[in-house]
């Protein structure tokens, strides 16, 4: 077994959350061989969710802007985890026969490989080189966006997904004008289904953000720096900052010709194994079979990245005892003063509102049915509800059971409100 | 062994509740409640999963 073999070398490509967790899990499992961690960005592994949330916020009373959250110091990585960290270096190729990763002219030999190269944002062609137009994926992106917000930028967000919505929300919190332009008639359909997508999107208008759905972008214009976004119907929206949040593409270009199967990411089995000896994948780049929901998926969320990184490393080190990685997917998003949480899958036969009312309040709970099974749950400011449904989905709970539970929870919540004197 | 929550870091995302519901619950206000502290050997794995699963690294185990 590789764990006990000090001559075995583990290479992890991708130095964000999944890559870091792979390294940590290998050491925790007792792996004594060499570990090389390769990261394209210059930064030590850092936490991405805050980049579109708290990190964009205003300075505190002493004038200090929010600091980035680095997961580990350089010393911890090098000395405690004994990792050879190579930052600012992009992997450019993979030779699965010779077992080497190419970093430009340099090659790095591996015995075991965990690929966690993540995903990169889709961009809008034609806006290259215009100051003030950014995607939001990296720390550098977020710093650039924040600098414009600090200047009081009129903000236009392209794409009403979660990242873009969080940026718009932050701009509004700073008292700035914010407009969201969405190509589809309803936002967030892929993530939460049509009805709930519309319900959540209504939060924008309630909070003073203009939301234009079914609107295509004709051009992003300016002289050196961005000045306006022109829509397909000729509408002009003035802008000092344009954030492009139209989704991401798995970062697999460097794997062309490697022999790995690529189809919306790296195709893996339920153990996160690519089918090529010693090669595993984790995080946003991995398309794997999720046994908990019984479907092939590629996740783009924190929890999956963290857990898959660790699971891929453990399975790489001990393939004979490999364990399938199963999960009930979870993501959250913070807009205005609302926390949106989703567990499970939005691909459902029915979506039922079981508590609250999107039209009236800032709190509601919706359940998702597939066949006779509970397959998903969405809460808006329902922090005390959401994880109870995650547990039910994990256990494969039936729809009837979920509805019965929802009834009890609704009654309990109503009672609590009554006791507190809220009607 | 004891479970420790750093409430400065916790934002009530609740993953811990789904992994170890006997220890953690997020309340109506979105704040985390630590339901019990002491961890038995049988419970260690689930609490370790909760620690690893916390997006704000707010949880730890005091041994």
């Amino acid at each position: 077994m590789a764990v006990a073999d000090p001559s075995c070398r583990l290479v992890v490509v991708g130095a964000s959350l999944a890559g870091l967790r792979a390294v940590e899990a290998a050491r925790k499992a007792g792996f004594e061989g060499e570990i090389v961690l390769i990261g394209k960005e210059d930064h030590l592994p850092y936490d991405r969710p805050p980049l579109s949330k708290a990190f964009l916020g205003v300075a505190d009373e002493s004038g200090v802007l929010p600091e980035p959250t680095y997961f580990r110091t350089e010393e911890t990585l090098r000395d405690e985890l004994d990792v050879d960290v190579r930052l600012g270096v992009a992997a450019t190729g993979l030779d699965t026969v010779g077992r080497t990763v190419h970093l430009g002219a340099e090659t790095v030999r591996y015995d075991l490989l965990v690929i966690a190269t993540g995903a990169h944002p889709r961009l809008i062609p034609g806006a290259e080189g215009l100051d003030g137009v950014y995607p939001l994926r990296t720390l550098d992106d977020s710093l650039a966006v924040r600098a414009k917000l600090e200047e009081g930028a009129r903000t236009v967000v392209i794409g009403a997904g979660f990242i873009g919505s969080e940026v718009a929300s932050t701009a509004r919190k700073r008292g700035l004008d914010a407009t969201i332009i969405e190509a589809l008639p309803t936002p967030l359909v892929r993530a939460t289904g049509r009805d709930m997508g519309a319900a959540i999107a209504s939060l924008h208008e309630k909070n003073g953000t203009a939301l234009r759905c079914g609107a295509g972008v004709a051009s992003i214009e300016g002289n050196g720096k961005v000045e306006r976004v022109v829509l397909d119907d000729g509408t002009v929206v003035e802008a000092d900052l344009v954030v492009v949040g139209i989704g991401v593409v798995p970062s697999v270009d460097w794997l062309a010709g490697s022999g790995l199967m690529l189809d919306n990411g790296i195709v893996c089995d339920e153990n996160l194994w690519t089918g090529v000896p010693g090669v595993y994948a984790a995080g946003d780049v991995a398309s794997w079979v999720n046994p908990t929901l019984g479907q092939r998926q590629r996740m783009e969320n924190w929890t999956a990245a963290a857990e898959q990184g660790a699971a891929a490393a453990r399975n790489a080190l001990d393939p004979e005892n490999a364990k399938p990685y199963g999960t009930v997917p979870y993501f959250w998003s913070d807009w205005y003063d609302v926390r949106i949480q989703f567990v499970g899958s939005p691909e459902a036969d029915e979506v039922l509102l079981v508590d609250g009312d999107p039209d009236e309040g800032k709190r509601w709970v919706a359940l998702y049915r597939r066949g006779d099974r509970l397959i998903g749950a969405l809460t808006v400011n329902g922090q005390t509800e959401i994880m109870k449904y995650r547990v039910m989905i994990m256990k494969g709970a039936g729809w009837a059971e979920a509805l019965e539970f929802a009834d009890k929870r609704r009654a309990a919540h109503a009672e609590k409100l009554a006791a507190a004197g809220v009607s | 062994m004891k479970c420790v929550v750093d409430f400065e870091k916790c934002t009530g995302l609740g993953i811990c509740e789904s992994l170890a519901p006997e220890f953690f619950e997020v309340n109506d206000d979105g704040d985390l409640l630590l339901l019990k502290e002491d961890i038995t050997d049988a419970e260690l794995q689930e609490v370790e999963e909760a620690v690893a699963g916390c997006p704000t690294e707010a949880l730890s185990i005091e041994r």
Side-chain angles (χ1 to χ4, degrees), chain A residues 20-21 24 28 47 70-72 302-303 306-307 330 332 334 339 341 363 381 383-388 390-391 394 409 413 416, chain B residues 10-21 24-31 45 48-49 51-57 63:
Chain A
L20 174 71
R21 290 298 179 96
E24 292 187 324
K28 195 170 181 225
D47 200 24
Y70 294 101
F71 289 120
R72 304 291 175 262
W302 192 97
T303 300
E307 292 178 348
Y330 168 57
W332 78 95
D334 297 330
R339 174 159 282 177
Q341 293 169 290
R363 174 188 176 277
N381 278 344
Q383 289 98 319
T384 194
E385 310 297 329
I386 190 73
M387 289 301 161
K388 294 171 177 74
R390 188 171 193 236
V391 172
M394 258 181 226
R409 296 292 304 175
H413 184 75
K416 240 185 260 172
Chain B
C10 176
T11 67
L13 285 165
I15 300 190
C16 53
E17 179 179 344
S18 68
L19 298 171
F24 309 103
E25 185 176 14
V26 180
N27 69 12
D28 268 323
D29 299 327
D31 298 324
Q45 193 188 338
E48 279 184 339
E49 282 174 14
V51 170
C54 175
T56 55
E57 300 201 321
R63 289 167 198 266

Side-chain angles (χ1 to χ4, degrees), chain A residues 190-206:
Chain A
R190 191 170 64 97
T192 65
R194 198 189 62 231
D195 291 352
M196 286 301 122
I200 298 169
S202 71
L203 292 169
H204 288 306
E205 279 145 18
K206 289 178 182 135

Side-chain angles (χ1 to χ4, degrees), chain B residues 3 5 16-17 20-26 32-35 50 59:
Chain B
C3 180
V5 181
C16 53
E17 179 179 344
E22 285 166 27
F23 286 83
F24 309 103
E25 185 176 14
V26 180
L32 182 65
L33 310 173
L34 184 59
L35 304 176
L59 305 178

Side-chain angles (χ1 to χ4, degrees), chain A residues 244-377:
Chain A
V244 181
I246 52 173
V248 296
V249 184
S251 300
V252 295
D253 289 356
W254 66 286
L255 296 169
S258 65
L260 295 190
M261 200 192 292
L262 305 176
D263 181 10
N264 182 29
I266 302 170
V267 177
C268 302
D269 68 5
E270 59 182 13
N271 298 329
L272 299 163
W273 183 43
T274 63
V276 171
V279 182
Y280 292 73
D284 289 16
V285 80
S287 161
W288 100 119
V289 178
N290 180 0
T292 308
L293 298 187
Q295 63 187 96
R296 176 166 288 283
Q297 298 190 292
R298 190 176 63 76
M299 301 277 91
E300 293 168 2
N301 65 59
W302 192 97
T303 300
E307 292 178 348
Q308 287 182 352
R314 284 194 296 262
N315 288 346
L317 292 172
D318 191 5
E320 279 162 26
N321 296 303
K323 289 198 184 76
Y325 170 69
T327 188
V328 174
Y330 168 57
F331 66 79
W332 78 95
S333 189
D334 297 330
W335 307 5
Y336 312 103
D337 290 318
V338 174
R339 174 159 282 177
I340 298 156
Q341 293 169 290
F342 188 89
V343 295
S345 167
E347 291 158 35
D349 299 318
E350 179 188 358
V351 180
L352 191 66
L353 189 69
V354 296
D355 196 4
D357 180 352
D359 291 332
E360 284 178 17
K362 275 183 151 190
R363 174 188 176 277
W364 72 87
V365 181
L367 300 184
Y368 294 64
R369 174 182 68 81
R370 186 186 296 170
D372 57 5
R373 181 184 175 182
L374 174 70
I375 200 74

